[in-house]
Amino acid sequence: MCKKNVKFLHISRLSSNFATMKRYFIHLSYDGTRYHGWQVQPCAMTVQGEIERCLSVLLQRAVSVTGAGRTDTGVHAAHMVAHFDIPDTSETFSEADGFHSVEVLHDIDEVQLAYRLNRMLPPDIVVYKIEPVAEDMHARFSAKWRTYHYYVTTFQTPFSRHYTWEAFTWKDSDGVRRTLDFHLMNEAAAILLEYKDFASFCKVHTDVKTTLCNVVEARWMPVPSAALPMSSVSCPISSASDSMSSVSCPMSEVSQAPTDWVFVIKANRFLRNMVRAIVGTLVEVGRHRMTLEQFRVVLESKQRTRAGESMPANALFLQQIEY
C-alpha cells in the first residue's frame, strides 16, 4: 500500500468501517444513594451514565457500557461488573475519494485507565480493575451466579440508618421486649431453595419472559460487630453516672443475641424487586405474623399481593458476580 494513500482518521468519520473490537471488563463498586439505579435514564443521574460519560472523555470516542445487572434506585453494589468495547484496528476503503485508510489503535493501559477513571468519577463510584476478556464474554449473559446482601439491625443508632434497615424491638402482651425471630426466618429462607418460580416476589407490570430463578443459597447470618461502624457504640444510659442508675437502657431488656444480621441470597438471576420482597415477607415470619406454612402458600400462589412489603433500598447490596 502506498504511504501517501494511508490516512489516519477518527473512526466516526470513515465512510465504511471494518473495525475489530476488543472487549474489557470493569470491576467496580458504588454507593447508590444519589443514583436513580444503574441503567441510563433520561434526565436522571445513573451509575451507568456516569461511567459512560467518563470513559467517553478518556477514550475520546462514544463508549457504551453493559452491566451484569440493573440495580434499582438507592441500591448499592459491593461488586458490579460491566463491559465495554473499543476498536482494535480499523480499515476503510472509500471509492469516492479513492484511498485506503487504516487506523491502528494501541492497546490501552488498563491500570492507568482505571486510575484516570477514578480521578474523574464521583467519589461514590470506584473502579477496582479493568481487564481484557474474550470477545464472547458478556457481563450480563456470561455471569453464572449473583449474590445479594440485605442488612438488618435490631439496635438503633444514628450511624446504622444509611446502610441497614432498623428493625425496632417491641413489647409483647406480657410486657417482654421482643425482636425478630431470626431462627424462624432462617427456616423460612430454607424453603426458598425448594422452589423455582418466584412470581410472588416480582414487581408487577414488568416485562419479563420468565419468573423462574435457580436460588442456591438463602440464609440469615449474624454480622460480626467489629465489621460495623456502630459496633463501638454502647447504650449511654447504662454507662451514665449514679444519678441515672434508676433509668434502664431499653436494649438491656433484650437478650444479648446478635443485633446485626445480613440476609444472603445467591441465584443465577433475579427478578426486579425480588430480594426486597423476599426480605419483607421473611420479616413477617420473624414477627410471627406469618407461619412457615403460610410462607409456602405465598410462594405457590405466584401473586405479588400475597407477599410482604418491599423493603427499603438503602440496605440492599449487590455483593458478588461470578463467571
Side-chain angles (χ1 to χ4, degrees):
M1 177 171 34
C2 182
K3 260 190 175 180
K4 66 179 181 180
N5 288 332
V6 178
K7 297 185 180 180
F8 296 89
L9 302 175
H10 191 282
I11 190 171
S12 63
R13 298 177 182 176
L14 300 178
S15 56
S16 61
N17 195 319
F18 303 94
T20 59
M21 308 298 287
K22 194 165 186 178
R23 177 158 293 181
Y24 292 86
F25 267 17
I26 308 177
H27 298 265
L28 68 146
S29 64
Y30 53 85
D31 180 333
T33 304
R34 296 192 308 128
Y35 299 96
H36 291 262
W38 163 266
Q39 189 176 15
V40 169
Q41 299 181 38
C43 304
M45 186 165 65
T46 66
V47 180
Q48 181 186 16
E50 288 299 292
I51 295 173
E52 289 184 346
R53 176 183 65 83
C54 295
L55 269 179
S56 297
V57 171
L58 292 174
L59 297 177
Q60 298 183 350
R61 62 184 64 244
V63 178
S64 177
V65 172
T66 300
R70 301 174 182 176
T71 54
D72 290 334
T73 299
V75 176
H76 319 291
H79 181 215
M80 169 64 89
V81 179
H83 78 246
F84 67 93
D85 298 326
I86 60 172
D88 190 12
T89 60
S90 174
E91 295 186 32
T92 298
F93 179 74
S94 174
E95 294 182 356
D97 298 333
F99 63 79
H100 188 194
S101 64
V102 178
E103 183 181 31
V104 180
L105 304 175
H106 300 288
D107 289 339
I108 65 171
D109 184 332
E110 296 92 0
V111 175
Q112 183 66 15
L113 179 59
Y115 171 78
R116 295 176 64 192
L117 198 54
N118 282 326
R119 292 289 300 270
M120 191 172 184
L121 283 167
D124 47 13
I125 303 175
V126 175
V127 172
Y128 296 109
K129 183 180 181 182
I130 297 177
E131 60 179 342
V133 295
E135 61 180 13
D136 61 345
M137 284 292 290
H138 194 284
R140 180 183 176 188
F141 300 125
S142 297
K144 289 181 168 51
W145 303 106
R146 296 164 172 84
T147 302
Y148 277 90
H149 285 185
Y150 194 92
Y151 290 90
V152 172
T153 183
T154 59
F155 180 30
Q156 182 183 11
T157 76
F159 313 109
S160 63
R161 57 193 172 86
H162 296 295
Y163 303 105
T164 63
W165 176 68
E166 296 177 340
F168 300 125
T169 59
W170 70 93
K171 287 187 177 181
D172 62 15
S173 57
D174 297 324
V176 178
R177 189 167 292 276
R178 301 290 185 185
T179 186
L180 292 174
D181 188 340
F182 286 96
H183 176 74
L184 191 62
M185 291 163 67
N186 253 333
E187 290 188 41
I191 295 175
L192 294 169
L193 276 60
E194 303 174 19
Y195 292 84
K196 298 295 183 185
D197 195 330
F198 291 90
S200 298
F201 304 118
C202 180
K203 188 173 183 178
V204 295
H205 307 307
T206 55
D207 184 21
V208 292
K209 295 180 180 179
T210 177
T211 52
L212 300 180
C213 304
N214 183 20
V215 176
V216 295
E217 182 181 5
R219 56 177 173 153
W220 288 93
M221 299 171 57
V223 179
S225 58
L228 297 174
M230 68 289 290
S231 60
S232 60
V233 179
S234 58
C235 183
I237 298 177
S238 60
S239 58
S241 62
D242 293 339
S243 62
M244 296 288 290
S245 59
S246 60
V247 182
S248 62
C249 175
M251 290 306 300
S252 64
E253 301 180 35
V254 185
S255 64
Q256 297 302 312
T259 58
D260 303 301
W261 292 79
V262 57
F263 176 61
V264 180
I265 184 166
K266 178 178 178 178
N268 64 327
R269 63 189 295 265
F270 287 91
L271 307 173
R272 187 174 181 186
N273 210 231
M274 176 175 163
V275 180
R276 291 158 62 190
I278 288 177
V279 173
T281 311
L282 291 174
V283 166
E284 291 297 294
V285 174
R287 285 173 170 165
H288 295 180
R289 296 176 180 174
M290 181 183 293
T291 65
L292 294 179
E293 185 55 39
Q294 289 172 330
F295 185 76
R296 285 186 181 275
V297 171
V298 168
L299 274 160
E300 294 170 1
S301 71
K302 301 178 183 178
Q303 297 178 24
R304 179 65 185 91
T305 54
R306 301 288 295 273
E309 66 176 336
S310 177
M311 300 297 285
N314 68 296
L316 181 61
F317 287 74
L318 173 58
Q319 188 68 23
Q320 187 178 18
I321 309 291
E322 298 176 57
Y323 292 89

